[in-house]
Structure formats: structure tokens, C-alpha cells
Amino acid sequence: MTILIAAGGTGGHLYPAVALAREFLRRDPSTRIIFVGTVKGIETKVLAHEGFPLELITAKPVMGKGLGEAVRGLLSVPVGLWQSMRLISRHRADLVIGVGGYTSPTMLAAAALKRIARVILEPNAYPGMANIAVGPCAQRVFLAFESAADKFAKAKVRVVGTPIRRNFLEALDRSAPVSGGRRLLIFGGSQGAKAINSAVLDGLADMARTFPGLSITHQTGEADHARVAAAYRHAGVSAEVVPFLYDMPTVLRAADLVVARAGAMTIAELTACGKPAILIPLPTAIYDHQMKNARAMEAAGGAVVLPQPELTGAQLAGAVAALLQDSDRLRAMQEKSRAMSRIDAAEKIVHECYALMGVNHDIHRTVGATGV
């Protein structure tokens, strides 16, 4: 069996797809998984590390761009569709999975024209336009949030949660409680976030004074790494400052508190590990989907939301201090965060995809898997 997965651009699209790919391979190691992306996306770096092959097609953004870029994006569609159909034929694909981003629309449309099985995975509380546009082409639409359901045909929708890489769950089983001082993890998504980095640096003196033994891991993104690392050194604050975290499960599991963006993958990973968080949604996200994700976790009691337009270093440092000094509140937030988790999403999606393709060799079927 061969599966093509159109996912990339950001970690929020890519990592749920990687989790799903791993589950397909766990069920049947002979499955061929090929990712489809673009040369500019994070997939060129991450998939090499994860060990999955990547095919590149022509695809450009349309939504949230100026008129010129939007026109160029629309003009790239016929080329991307032709390339997508060639990929499906060359690899003799049995299933195409679209996870949003630039490559999903043409891959799903090509799969529909080729009449092979095709599904959408939408990890956000408000679906992206790419997935909405190709919703009619899909046979199943797997959602992380119920709030996204009204954008798709009801009969196709399955609300299952966001697929989580299995090593997050394994880390939960084998990790011992962390002893000693508090551990703070800061990250702004796969590409970092300059606004979060700057707020942390502005409040760094206050945090260091309040918690002299605080252990900090800060993922900055490639573009801002040098500036942030230099600022920590200048402030005399010891921290692990890195451009990118490949082993997020281990680092996240060790954290007592997390400061982060509010992408769907981030929310899923936080809740899978039962981590309390200070969420700073990306204000420029199309349809404000990160704020919707963040408010959902805040309403459940697992997070505090700080909108970026009003964010200051003092405000962030105060929020960190308030939580780390209140063990009872931190513990309650951990429980509320974990209560939100849905750790069997990948299993449910794979099982239903097998049924859609008429495949009955689900050799590692688990109790949690549901039928069609």
C-alpha cells in the first residue's frame, strides 16, 4: 500500500501528518509513505530528520497575501494539479491525505480525478481555506475540534482529535517526576516567534530575580537565535537556547510550565503531556484560529491566554511567577490540561482509512479504534 501525504509549510501541519504516518507504519511496516511539500516549507528539514521521503510540487499561498502574490498563487494551481496527478500515477498511490497548507488542494483534487481514496485532516478549531475549498473532493474529513464541523458535509466528518507522535505517549510512561527547581519551556512554534522572544527578554531580569534556580529551555527559531542567545549571556542567565527542538517529547515532558503559541499541534502536545501553559496566539493567523485554539484550552482550565497586542515583558514575567509560585493552581491546570487530551486520534484515522480503502489487514488494531 502506498500513501501520499500533502503536508508542510509549518510544524502545525507537518507533525500531525508525521504522527499519522508513524501509525500507518506501526500497523503495517510494508506501507510506503511519501510526503508532498514545497521547497520553502519546514518539511525539507524535518522530514530528513524523521526519515520520510519528500516529493516537491509547485504550490504558492493565496489567502492572507497581497493581490500580486494571490494571483501568482492561483496561477500555480494548474501546474501543481498536473504534478500531483503525475505523482499519484508514478507511485500508484492507494490513498491521499491532505493536512492543509499549499499542497493539499491540488493533491486532493488530483486524487478525486484519479478516483482513489482521499481524506482531509484538519487540526485547527477553525479550518483553513485550503481544506474548506477541497472539502467536497474528500471522502472523509477528520477534525480535532467540533467547532470546525459546520464547514464540511456532515456525513464526511469525524471529530477525532489531533494525531500525536507516539514518543510523546511513551515519554509519559517512562518519565520519572522531575526533582529540584522549576523548569520553564518557551517556544514560538516551529519557526520561533520574535514577539515572544522579545517579551521574554524584556522580562528576563524579573524572572531571574524571582526564580534564581529556574531552568529555562528556549526555542527561538533560526532567524532570532543569535540575538536571543546573546541577550541571555548579557543578562548572566543560564539557559538552553536553541533554534529548533527535534526532541520535543522529552523536553516538554520535563517542563513544569510552557510559554508558547497556540497552534493546533501545540495544544495537542501540551494536553497529551498534561502541561499547563501560557499561550500567546499568533495575531496574524488567518481566521484568528490560534486565538480560538487558545481560548478553548483556557476555558477548560489548562492555560492562561495573553494576547500579543497587549503583551509586555513585565506582564509575561508576572504571569510566569504567579503560576510557578502557586503549586496548587499549577497542579489543577495540569489535570485540566490532561483531561483535554485525545491520544487515540491517529489510531482512529488509520482504522477508518483502512475501511475506506477496503483493506482488512489491520494487524495491530487497537481497542480504541472505531468503525466506519
Side-chain angles (χ1 to χ4, degrees):
M1 176 169 41
T2 299
I3 300 171
L4 299 182
I5 303 180
T10 68
H13 287 133
L14 188 58
Y15 279 116
V18 169
L20 197 52
R22 295 281 182 214
E23 183 62 19
F24 273 108
L25 291 172
R26 188 181 74 88
R27 302 291 185 91
D28 181 0
S30 70
T31 302
R32 293 177 63 233
I33 307 281
I34 298 142
F35 280 78
V36 181
T38 65
V39 69
K40 292 185 177 180
I42 192 176
E43 56 268 29
T44 56
K45 177 173 64 174
V46 170
L47 291 175
H49 180 81
E50 295 286 343
F52 287 105
L54 172 66
E55 293 274 13
L56 301 176
I57 66 171
T58 300
K60 296 179 180 179
V62 176
M63 299 303 298
K65 300 296 179 180
L67 179 60
E69 286 187 83
V71 169
R72 284 191 289 274
L74 289 172
L75 292 175
S76 73
V77 171
V79 177
L81 181 61
W82 176 75
Q83 292 171 329
S84 297
M85 293 186 72
R86 287 194 65 188
L87 281 178
I88 290 171
S89 296
R90 178 154 55 87
H91 290 291
R92 298 182 180 180
D94 300 289
L95 171 68
V96 169
I97 302 172
V99 196
Y102 311 152
T103 58
S104 281
T106 56
M107 285 301 302
L108 263 292
L113 291 171
K114 290 284 189 179
R115 297 189 177 184
I116 66 168
R118 59 230 176 247
V119 305
I120 285 172
L121 170 60
E122 175 51 69
N124 286 299
Y126 191 98
M129 184 54 69
N131 278 344
I132 293 174
V134 294
C137 296
Q139 294 168 292
R140 294 288 186 276
V141 180
F142 300 106
L143 303 178
F145 294 90
E146 185 74 45
S147 59
D150 63 354
K151 299 298 179 183
F152 303 98
K154 184 177 179 181
K156 298 179 180 181
V157 166
R158 307 288 187 270
V159 182
V160 297
T162 302
I164 298 292
R165 286 172 284 166
R166 215 166 174 81
N167 47 1
F168 277 97
L169 311 181
E170 292 165 357
L172 287 175
D173 293 335
R174 64 171 178 257
S175 294
V178 176
S179 59
R182 295 293 196 182
R183 297 191 181 186
L184 177 67
L185 170 61
I186 304 161
F187 68 101
S190 56
Q191 299 176 42
K194 188 172 183 179
I196 293 178
N197 294 343
S198 294
V200 169
L201 297 181
D202 288 345
L204 193 58
D206 290 342
M207 278 193 282
R209 187 165 49 250
T210 306
F211 292 96
L214 182 63
S215 174
I216 300 174
T217 298
H218 189 154
Q219 177 188 305
T220 63
E222 294 282 357
D224 213 18
H225 178 250
R227 178 181 77 98
V228 176
Y232 272 95
R233 288 194 300 270
H234 181 73
V237 176
S238 177
E240 182 185 6
V241 182
V242 295
F244 191 82
L245 284 168
Y246 285 104
D247 191 8
M248 182 62 81
T250 298
V251 178
L252 182 57
R253 183 63 185 88
D256 295 291
L257 179 65
V258 180
V259 175
R261 286 296 195 200
M265 191 75 252
T266 296
I267 302 297
E269 292 171 352
L270 288 169
T271 57
C273 293
K275 294 301 168 181
I278 296 172
L279 299 176
I280 305 167
L282 177 67
T284 57
I286 297 176
Y287 312 118
D288 204 23
H289 70 264
Q290 285 208 10
M291 181 60 78
K292 293 177 174 68
N293 296 345
R295 292 299 186 195
M297 188 170 177
E298 183 180 54
V304 172
V305 177
L306 299 181
Q308 182 175 306
E310 302 108 49
L311 184 66
T312 66
Q315 181 193 34
L316 180 56
V320 169
L323 292 177
L324 291 181
Q325 289 175 329
D326 191 341
S327 296
D328 290 340
R329 185 182 179 192
L330 209 60
R331 192 175 304 110
M333 289 178 70
Q334 290 171 351
E335 294 171 0
K336 296 294 186 180
S337 176
R338 195 181 305 281
M340 284 186 69
S341 67
R342 305 181 70 163
I343 62 175
D344 60 351
E347 295 178 3
K348 290 181 177 180
I349 294 171
V350 169
H351 179 67
E352 187 139 352
C353 286
Y354 277 144
L356 190 63
M357 292 183 288
V359 175
N360 59 12
H361 65 278
D362 188 355
I363 58 174
H364 294 293
R365 180 179 176 184
T366 58
V367 175
T370 58
V372 178

